[in-house]
Amino acid sequence: MKGITVLLTNVAIASLLGCGQINVLLPNLSSQTADEWSAEEHRVAADLFEEEAARLETKMAYLDQRVERFTKKPYLEPKGFRRQGWKRLMGTYRGKIADLREQIAWHQQEAERFNAMPPSDDIEKRKEGKKG
């Protein structure tokens, strides 16, 4: 299960690399696994995922308005193909948002876990991760 979570985290972050956002914030990300991240890196990742979720929620709100408009005026689209397509797209966005919320929660838990550790444990763990 942890391997799947790490894989999904890396895939999601890799998708953000295309936007260039995370490359500036986490320059050494490619050489690290999720186990070697610091609390600050987990917080940054959670913030990036939160921004992506907010962007998708904005898109969903816009699509919901469009569906509502076409529902009130069915003569604009009598067969309903656009509305059905928009509803499917909204369902896809809902799934992505749910996945992002899981990632956000995980990163926040990891950041809190690192903050709860004594500083020497954090340094020791990072050194062990680099050796292994």
Side-chain angles (χ1 to χ4, degrees):
M1 186 67 181
K2 184 177 179 181
I4 293 172
T5 304
V6 171
L7 177 66
L8 291 175
T9 302
N10 289 335
V11 168
I13 290 176
S15 68
L16 292 174
L17 285 174
C19 301
Q21 296 172 349
I22 200 155
N23 213 7
V24 174
L25 298 171
L26 300 173
N28 58 352
L29 179 64
S30 60
S31 64
Q32 289 182 336
T33 64
D35 293 336
E36 298 172 339
W37 288 12
S38 70
E40 182 63 28
E41 290 168 330
H42 280 291
R43 279 195 286 291
V44 168
D47 290 342
L48 289 173
F49 287 134
E50 185 65 43
E51 289 174 14
E52 179 71 13
R55 186 180 66 80
L56 289 175
E57 286 173 348
T58 303
K59 283 184 173 185
M60 274 185 45
Y62 174 74
L63 289 174
D64 192 36
Q65 290 174 353
R66 301 268 326 216
V67 168
E68 179 86 16
R69 178 176 170 233
F70 278 81
T71 301
K72 287 181 180 177
K73 299 178 182 180
Y75 56 86
L76 292 175
E77 196 214 358
K79 293 188 178 182
F81 293 138
R82 289 182 188 166
R83 283 178 282 175
Q84 292 304 316
W86 291 333
K87 287 178 183 178
R88 281 192 302 273
L89 186 57
M90 287 170 55
T92 302
Y93 287 163
R94 279 188 198 97
K96 287 181 181 180
I97 290 170
D99 291 342
L100 288 170
R101 295 288 179 213
E102 289 177 17
Q103 292 296 321
I104 291 166
W106 182 80
H107 281 291
Q108 289 173 343
Q109 288 173 350
E110 290 297 306
E112 289 172 10
R113 185 175 63 88
F114 277 113
N115 287 336
M117 284 182 170
S120 61
D121 288 347
D122 186 26
I123 293 169
E124 297 280 328
K125 182 177 181 187
R126 295 188 91 193
K127 285 181 182 177
E128 288 175 8
K130 289 180 181 177
K131 288 180 184 175

